[in-house]
Amino acid sequence: MKQILLMILAVCAACASVASAQTGPLRIEITEGVIEPLPFAVPDFVPDNSAASEVSGQLGRVIAADLAGTGLFREIPASAHIGKVSSFEAPIQFADWKAINAQALVTGAVSVSGNRLTVRFRVWDVFSGSELGNGLQFAGSTDGWRRMAHKVADAVYSRITGEGGYFDSRVVFVSESGPKNDRRKRLAIMDYDGANVQYLTDSTSIVLAPRFSPTGDRVLYTSYESGFPRIYVLDVGKVQRRVLESQDGTMSFAPRFAPDGNTVVYSLAQGGNTDIYSMDVRSGKSTRLTNAPSIETAPSFSPDGQQIVFESDRSGTQQLYIMPAGGGEARRISFGQGRYGTPVWSPRGDLIAFTKQSKGRFHIGVMRTDGSEERLLTASFLDEGPTWAPNGRVIMFTRESQGAQGRSTLYSVDITGRNLRPVRTPDGGSDPSWSPLQD
């Protein structure tokens, strides 16, 4: 295991923070720089019975796509393979894989009984000729074979990098279709890679800013169904919804769950003023958290639930502030040139992602929670609305390109600013929110 990790370290030494080997498994946190992807191979998994023949190859393709999509790994295609894996228990002929410069090898076996799918797999360090950890087994329904592949990829990713995975997760977003003057928006949910899209609402009213609950079973969003923005909460599994916040003569929007899932923060506009409120989901009781003659919106909790970051124009321009979760004095953390908005706290608690508008361009950026070490990861005609992967390694956001006539697309980028990639959706997409890892 250490040999593969040390190989990654050799190409990342200038940009990696490495934990001491004496304190536990070697772990690498890549923070910047150009990285040579690690070559790996995933031969087709071995079918343990005839019913598993079709899915055995499909599993390997999804696992390989997950790993290669991170930008940290490079797949060696099957056409270059010298060695073959015909039995899960047979010894690995490491010389065959060394010959094609594979540094990591993923092997597996699949069995199907009725609608039950079982996957066994192992991860190998080719150059040391040893297994990374022990083999694992996952089981589930045959309909969930893609999710099974994501779970395997998460385990492989974690064993090689020392970080948590993010493939077995979902994204809720606003699906956009139709011409610019008749744009239709509805909530949709998909796997993190754009597969298995399902629609949660119809297109009869405008919907905005969906946000997952900490357990991934509920979604907050804003709807104009009543003619004014109102906050709804939707049970994803049952596709049932209810109004969460509604007051006559007010507009409520930009909701987000607290880490415990029992509190929601949101913005409420009334009498020409916009402030941040919190609500106890069970009792419906609301508490006003800000009280200023300015626009306060886009609140987001810290992972420990003790603080809230938000955007405000109280200084004369749109900037980022942090305050205690119960309200109180706020401190400004953004001081660069331009306007800052849509802040979101990283699941790791170390960074805050944001949208920045400066010199006619939009950017997705990150900064430390004290405002230091600001880094801009993207630049475009319009980039906005970041959301974090469950492991705090990747950010997904909305991009509208110049000349796209208002059509938006989802993109993802590594926190180093590398590996900018479009996320394929059937129609246009905006306002993504990444779920936690599924159970």
Side-chain angles (χ1 to χ4, degrees), residues 50-109:
S50 59
S53 296
E54 182 178 355
V55 74
S56 60
Q58 294 173 324
L59 282 161
R61 294 309 87 222
V62 174
I63 294 165
D66 284 346
L67 296 173
T70 66
L72 301 176
F73 300 86
R74 174 176 62 82
E75 183 191 11
I76 298 175
S79 59
H81 294 183
I82 297 173
K84 302 296 180 183
V85 178
S86 56
S87 169
F88 185 67
E89 287 78 18
I92 300 296
Q93 302 302 310
F94 290 106
D96 291 341
W97 301 101
K98 288 180 183 179
I100 60 173
N101 198 37
Q103 296 181 23
L105 176 67
V106 182
T107 62

Side-chain angles (χ1 to χ4, degrees), residues 258-416:
D260 64 6
N262 296 323
T263 302
V264 170
V265 286
Y266 61 97
S267 291
L268 185 71
Q270 59 181 339
N273 199 48
T274 301
D275 279 300
I276 294 173
Y277 287 71
S278 67
M279 174 187 289
D280 184 292
V281 175
R282 295 161 295 189
S283 68
K285 181 181 178 182
S286 293
T287 302
R288 188 172 186 170
L289 302 182
T290 64
N291 188 1
S294 51
I295 297 175
E296 330 280 353
T297 189
S300 173
F301 277 97
S302 59
D304 63 6
Q306 299 301 304
Q307 299 180 88
I308 294 173
V309 62
F310 64 99
E311 66 177 74
S312 172
D313 62 359
R314 62 178 64 184
S315 65
T317 61
Q318 192 176 343
Q319 301 293 332
L320 305 184
Y321 293 80
I322 289 178
M323 67 178 175
E329 185 176 353
R331 58 183 174 87
R332 179 174 166 178
I333 62 169
S334 60
F335 292 94
Q337 297 294 317
R339 302 171 62 189
Y340 297 76
T342 64
V344 189
W345 221 301
S346 164
R348 298 178 179 181
D350 58 339
L351 296 173
I352 291 171
F354 56 87
T355 302
K356 183 175 182 178
Q357 183 182 5
S358 178
K359 299 179 181 179
R361 302 280 279 175
F362 281 79
H363 310 267
I364 299 299
V366 294
M367 64 173 64
R368 296 291 179 182
T369 58
D370 61 1
S372 64
E373 300 182 30
E374 177 181 323
R375 302 196 310 273
L376 299 182
L377 309 180
T378 74
S380 177
F381 173 72
L382 179 58
D383 287 350
E384 62 180 353
T387 181
W388 290 94
N391 68 349
R393 171 82 200 189
V394 179
I395 293 172
M396 194 176 294
F397 61 96
T398 303
R399 167 167 288 186
E400 181 185 327
S401 300
Q402 195 165 12
Q405 297 184 335
R407 180 181 174 87
S408 298
T409 305
L410 301 184
Y411 272 75
S412 66
V413 67
D414 190 277
I415 57 170
T416 63

Side-chain angles (χ1 to χ4, degrees), residues 115-155:
N115 67 346
R116 187 72 172 172
L117 173 69
T118 302
V119 179
R120 296 178 291 156
F121 69 97
R122 292 181 175 131
V123 188
W124 303 92
D125 178 341
V126 172
F127 282 87
S128 71
S130 61
E131 185 176 357
L132 305 186
N134 298 317
L136 286 178
Q137 175 175 302
F138 294 130
S141 70
T142 53
D143 291 341
W145 70 267
R146 281 187 62 89
R147 185 179 173 199
M148 199 83 66
H150 292 321
K151 291 173 75 69
V152 173
D154 275 331

Side-chain angles (χ1 to χ4, degrees), residues 157-169:
Y157 177 91
S158 296
R159 288 188 177 186
I160 295 177
T161 68
E163 296 183 341
Y166 60 91
F167 310 122
D168 185 25
S169 60

